[in-house]
Amino acid sequence: MSAVVESDGLSRRPPLRRRRARRRSDAKWAYVYVAPAVALVVGFIGYPLASVIYHAFTTWDGLSPPVWVGWHNFSLLFHDPIFRTAIRNNVLFAISVPIEAIGALILAHLIHQRVPLWRFFRSTFFLPAIYSTVVIGVIISVVLLPQGPVNQILGHVGLSSLRHNWLESSGTAIGSIILVVIWANIGYSVLIYLAGMSSLDPQLEEAARLDGAKFWGVLWKVHAPNLRRVVELVFVINTITAFAYMLPYIYTITQGGPGFSTYATEYYIYDTGFTGQRLGYASAIGMVLAVIMLAIGAIQVRILTRGGRI
Amino acid sequence: MTRKRGLLATTAVLAAIILGACGSSSSGGSQKARGGSHTLHLWLGGDLTQATHGSPFLAWVDQQIGRFEVQNHGWKIVTSLLPFSNGANAAQLEAAFASHNTPDLMNLYSGQFTNAYTKVLLPLTSFVAKTPGLYGSIPESVWNIECTKYQCNGGKGTILGVPWNSGAYYLFYNKALLAKAGIAQPPATYTQLFADCTKLRAAGVLPLSMGASDGYDTSNVFTSNLVSTLGPGDMSAILAGKLGYDNPKLVAALQPVLQLTSPSTKCTSTDALGQDQLHGINAFQAGQAAMTPYFGLQLATFKQALGTKLGVAPLPLSGSGPLLHVNNGYAGNPFDGWVIPKGSQNVAMAWKFIQIASDAAANRTSQSEMGLSPAVTSVVARLRDPLQKTAAKLAANPAIPELDQVMPGTFAIFMYKQLGLGQEGKQSAEQTLKALQQYAVSQPKQGQ
């Protein structure tokens, strides 16, 4: 079928054949444009991921060629008491997530409602987030020493009986790390919520106040339902932190001690892989951790988005 | 329009190529430097991770480099510090060996820290054999820790490193504080030590300062006491898995050590429970505690702090086993050894540096400047300072090595943690060593 071409100089749609050829040419260029990004993703994410999956089924010390052992690493893993301790600790760290998510929401609401000194609180809540986790860990490891500032203050205010070896007791070491993580990360969550609240239509709040809603009513009946997606984001981010970003805190505060009581899974991966020269086993731990996190993430998203309820 | 797209696409592709090239050139940078000029690349691990600006360790390293450069005109040595932390150290070495991007030579901690890299280190047996007098100048018991399976067999075994010091754990004491409690001599047995703790407390003196939290102090004191409870061949049997870590001989050596921080003996303050090995010596150095267990490399610092009040003695012992009559009847080993990676580009020159940095002159200055006792027998014999002489004689020709220096690295790390729990009173000596034994049997065999 031949195209109809006007001869009056006005542009018309080019013939179908030419449009198809142009779309194919555009597609080629699209591939060229995304090629560098794809190369980076493949090189820095895809290849390492494939390597970890492969090495999880091998015994490898990093110095000699890996030896295929099949599921051996995984069977060792499920009988490994240190791994069980590490996963238990990650679950304990994850207990801080609802506290952080809901606590941050309340703090963000307070700031949004312009309570007295709200600018000051906004800055101080966010201050820990600008420090490196290593710096926070080092500071905390000094602050919680038996002769550190915390115990000194308790002594000065007449609470000497509460003085404790916070980081050398299994019970309080984990609790201390959880409190530090909440303090270090809550500011970031507050900021995310504030951004969400700022994007809401102010008329919603006005209407709620006209209907008699007070401070908490506005939070739970207006902000929270409309920030469902933001809450979901905060929960997911903090859960990922609890399972995959504890290494700097543990490395600098307790080094996994006393004993193995504050080991987390990624600290165990580092310790096993590099100090223990068991890179195959460390890869297996990494794979199991990734599967656990995927499962938790999927469950979280499902729960949080079901029926629009938080 | 098409031309513009073409330009943009070409730019993007070029950017990706340049990015990739930058990555590969930075990892191969040291190779280029090595290949292009008379430069030796030396990594400083082991005790020399402390060779920072202004430190006696760096001064000593610079001395040896100076001697090498004078004798080998046109050659330079460029040093890099490995991380102080064992874990980070191991990570860097792993990465270097795995990527075949290693220096010309290195200093590493001896024993299991060197044996872990047996496959990628150049055997030095033939080099040592061709160097007259080198093997005979250092006792066999010191050489053994630098060989595979910790057996040098008179120089015929596989030698991985050349030792340039030999150390041990000692009991440093403050003569004035002991005298205040009416104690004339430092304790030689744990029974005497616990009695002295009571006397010192009565005199208002903190008897012992040590760190309990990380298990390192405990490990060194425990393994030093093993020389009084083990028999000949027992150490090899432990490493071969034929004698369990929970054997009564080891339990007997650990029991009195764990009592050091027990409230019943009053030897230490509660601060010990929260302090690590490094901070455990603070009270002694400040002149507030009468005794502390530590390495010889702190000798110079203690001397500066305490002057003529400082004394050094062997750690107390709890048993009277046969090893007390073998060699010098003490536990010790070389702490450091020079090694050459298989990928070294300048093996001959690396060996020349090693010869210089492990000779008698280097051993002498290592003692005087860093407090690391010499490995060379003739240097030990000529020491004049009584404290240095005492420390060096204890470490020269040891009966057994320190256990954590020769056991597999992961076992040592597990042991430190269990010992830390034991020292804090959370578990008994039996429980501590049983846990270690259970861990050992659950791990895949690690080659020596």
Side-chain angles (χ1 to χ4, degrees):
Chain A
M1 187 166 103
S2 61
V4 173
V5 181
E6 303 293 325
S7 58
D8 59 1
L10 291 175
S11 63
R12 295 283 186 267
R13 285 184 76 206
L16 181 65
R17 207 165 354 124
R18 214 186 292 171
R19 290 205 303 275
R20 278 188 185 148
R22 190 167 182 173
R23 272 204 289 272
R24 273 199 294 274
S25 170
D26 283 349
K28 261 192 242 165
W29 282 116
Y31 287 126
V32 172
Y33 288 139
V34 302
V38 168
L40 285 172
V41 168
V42 168
F44 290 103
I45 296 175
Y47 173 71
L49 186 62
S51 178
V52 164
I53 292 171
Y54 165 70
H55 284 109
F57 295 92
T58 67
T59 292
W60 186 42
D61 63 1
L63 304 175
S64 38
V67 174
W68 185 266
V69 293
W71 294 96
H72 178 67
N73 287 334
F74 295 96
S75 71
L76 273 182
L77 195 57
F78 292 115
H79 295 101
D80 185 343
I82 302 174
F83 176 69
R84 282 200 292 271
T85 302
I87 286 287
R88 182 207 70 194
N89 287 339
N90 280 117
V91 169
L92 287 175
F93 295 141
I95 286 171
S96 71
V97 172
I99 301 169
E100 218 173 295
I102 294 167
L105 181 63
I106 295 170
L107 290 173
H109 181 64
L110 285 167
I111 293 170
H112 189 73
Q113 296 301 302
R114 305 287 194 259
V115 296
L117 298 176
W118 64 273
R119 283 194 184 89
F120 169 76
F121 289 126
R122 186 178 60 182
S123 306
T124 48
F125 288 144
F126 192 64
L127 207 59
I130 65 171
Y131 288 119
S132 134
T133 46
V134 171
V135 167
I136 289 173
V138 170
I139 291 171
I140 292 299
S141 67
V142 172
V143 162
L144 293 179
L145 278 174
Q147 61 274 42
V150 168
N151 279 342
Q152 300 260 3
I153 290 168
L154 287 172
H156 284 313
V157 299
L159 293 171
S160 303
S161 57
L162 292 180
R163 287 163 65 147
H164 195 65
N165 205 337
W166 304 101
L167 298 178
E168 292 305 324
S169 163
S170 317
T172 51
I174 276 283
S176 303
I177 295 177
I178 291 174
L179 285 174
V180 168
V181 171
I182 291 174
W183 169 74
N185 293 313
I186 203 164
Y188 191 63
S189 304
V190 166
L191 215 65
I192 295 175
Y193 282 132
L194 281 174
M197 286 171 188
S198 304
S199 68
L200 292 178
D201 187 348
Q203 289 182 359
L204 287 172
E205 192 180 325
E206 264 183 59
R209 289 203 187 278
L210 284 172
D211 286 342
K214 298 272 193 303
F215 183 87
W216 296 110
V218 169
L219 170 61
W220 299 119
K221 300 268 187 333
V222 177
H223 284 160
N226 285 288
L227 291 175
R228 204 172 62 243
R229 290 278 180 234
V230 178
V231 172
E232 186 186 302
L233 175 70
V234 168
F235 262 88
V236 170
I237 288 174
N238 286 311
T239 305
I240 291 172
T241 302
F243 276 89
Y245 285 98
M246 299 303 297
L247 175 64
Y249 296 109
I250 290 161
Y251 191 94
T252 51
I253 299 174
T254 60
Q255 292 88 48
F260 293 93
S261 59
T262 58
Y263 261 54
T265 314
E266 73 272 40
Y267 185 83
Y268 192 33
I269 292 171
Y270 162 79
D271 199 34
T272 307
F274 294 107
T275 313
Q277 286 183 297
R278 294 174 64 197
L279 292 160
Y281 191 58
S283 301
I285 301 172
M287 264 189 70
V288 170
L289 179 64
V291 167
I292 292 173
M293 285 175 60
L294 278 170
I296 291 174
I299 293 168
Q300 265 186 332
V301 169
R302 204 179 179 88
I303 291 172
L304 289 169
T305 55
R306 186 186 296 162
R309 283 184 298 163
I310 297 166
Chain B
M1 198 63 172
T2 309
R3 187 182 274 185
K4 225 189 222 173
R5 274 192 203 156
L7 273 170
L8 278 170
T10 311
T11 311
V13 170
L14 275 172
I17 292 169
I18 289 165
L19 207 70
C22 282
S24 62
S25 74
S26 66
S27 67
S30 56
Q31 291 274 4
K32 266 193 200 157
R34 277 211 293 283
S37 62
H38 286 25
T39 305
L40 273 187
H41 288 258
L42 163 62
W43 283 8
L44 299 173
D47 281 309
L48 297 181
T49 56
Q50 302 169 78
T52 49
H53 277 295
S55 70
F57 297 90
L58 184 60
W60 182 83
V61 169
D62 285 342
Q63 270 177 24
Q64 313 318 310
I65 291 174
R67 293 171 63 203
F68 171 84
E69 288 175 353
V70 159
Q71 292 177 32
N72 298 279
H73 262 297
W75 280 86
K76 273 176 19 120
I77 295 183
V78 172
T79 58
S80 300
L81 283 182
L82 285 172
F84 183 76
S85 145
N86 283 343
N89 199 316
Q92 189 161 334
L93 289 172
E94 280 278 322
F97 285 121
S99 62
H100 307 291
N101 196 6
T102 51
D104 294 303
L105 75 159
M106 297 191 280
N107 178 71
L108 295 180
Y109 281 128
S110 305
Q112 50 104 346
F113 300 95
T114 297
N115 268 261
Y117 305 106
T118 300
K119 296 168 196 161
V120 288
L121 293 178
L122 195 67
L124 301 178
T125 313
S126 59
F127 294 87
V128 172
K130 287 180 198 154
T131 308
L134 174 57
Y135 194 81
S137 66
I138 296 169
E140 176 93 356
S141 57
V142 174
W143 274 110
N144 278 340
I145 310 308
E146 298 286 357
C147 288
T148 56
K149 296 189 188 341
Y150 307 123
Q151 290 295 329
C152 281
N153 294 322
K156 296 188 183 65
T158 307
I159 300 174
L160 296 174
V162 178
W164 53 273
N165 57 55
S166 186
Y169 226 55
Y170 309 101
L171 183 71
F172 291 93
Y173 61 95
N174 185 321
K175 294 176 198 169
L177 291 179
L178 286 185
K180 192 177 172 186
I183 300 168
Q185 297 289 336
T189 66
Y190 274 91
T191 309
Q192 284 174 5
L193 172 61
F194 296 140
D196 287 348
C197 288
T198 308
K199 286 183 195 169
L200 285 158
R201 280 287 185 188
V205 176
L206 175 63
L208 190 75
S209 76
M210 67 181 284
S213 67
D214 56 5
Y216 293 144
D217 251 343
T218 313
S219 168
N220 287 307
V221 177
F222 160 54
T223 63
S224 296
N225 196 27
L226 279 175
V227 78
S228 74
T229 61
L230 293 182
D234 282 348
M235 187 61 87
S236 306
I238 293 169
L239 298 178
K242 292 182 181 139
L243 191 71
Y245 289 103
D246 55 353
N247 184 277
K249 292 181 192 179
L250 285 91
V251 174
L254 180 59
Q255 258 162 356
V257 177
L258 297 189
Q259 285 180 286
L260 290 173
T261 44
S262 163
S264 61
T265 61
K266 297 186 186 136
C267 284
T268 57
S269 73
T270 49
D271 280 349
L273 300 178
Q275 285 174 339
D276 56 24
Q277 180 193 40
L278 208 56
H279 294 102
I281 58 174
N282 287 352
F284 178 79
Q285 192 159 314
Q288 291 164 1
M291 297 174 280
T292 194
Y294 208 68
F295 294 112
L297 56 79
Q298 206 64 16
L299 184 63
T301 316
F302 285 159
K303 213 168 161 186
Q304 210 172 12
L306 300 174
T308 53
K309 289 186 282 192
L310 179 67
V312 61
L315 283 164
L317 301 170
S318 63
S320 54
L323 285 180
L324 294 173
H325 308 289
V326 172
N327 294 344
N328 68 358
Y330 205 63
N333 46 248
F335 288 155
D336 299 271
W338 299 108
V339 301
I340 301 179
K342 279 181 176 166
S344 173
Q345 306 270 310
N346 298 291
V347 172
M349 298 313 292
W351 180 248
K352 282 191 174 176
F353 177 82
I354 289 175
Q355 285 179 272
I356 290 168
S358 58
D359 65 9
N363 271 248
R364 253 194 315 275
T365 50
S366 125
Q367 167 73 78
S368 60
E369 295 188 15
M370 294 185 288
L372 287 166
S373 298
V376 172
T377 311
S378 60
V379 176
V380 175
R382 290 198 191 100
L383 286 172
R384 293 232 152 66
D385 181 284
L387 295 180
Q388 288 177 3
K389 202 171 184 85
T390 304
K393 282 176 93 168
L394 283 171
N397 205 11
I400 53 168
E402 302 256 341
L403 181 58
D404 61 335
Q405 194 93 14
V406 295
M407 69 199 309
T410 47
F411 291 24
I413 289 165
F414 188 89
M415 183 177 75
Y416 296 141
K417 291 186 183 292
Q418 292 301 321
L419 290 176
L421 291 172
Q423 197 72 72
E424 290 178 350
K426 294 189 170 109
Q427 55 190 26
S428 67
E430 289 93 341
Q431 288 168 326
T432 300
L433 292 173
K434 207 175 188 64
L436 176 59
Q437 176 61 17
Q438 282 171 349
Y439 178 81
V441 300
S442 72
Q443 298 301 300
K445 256 202 168 346
Q446 301 201 9
Q448 295 274 331

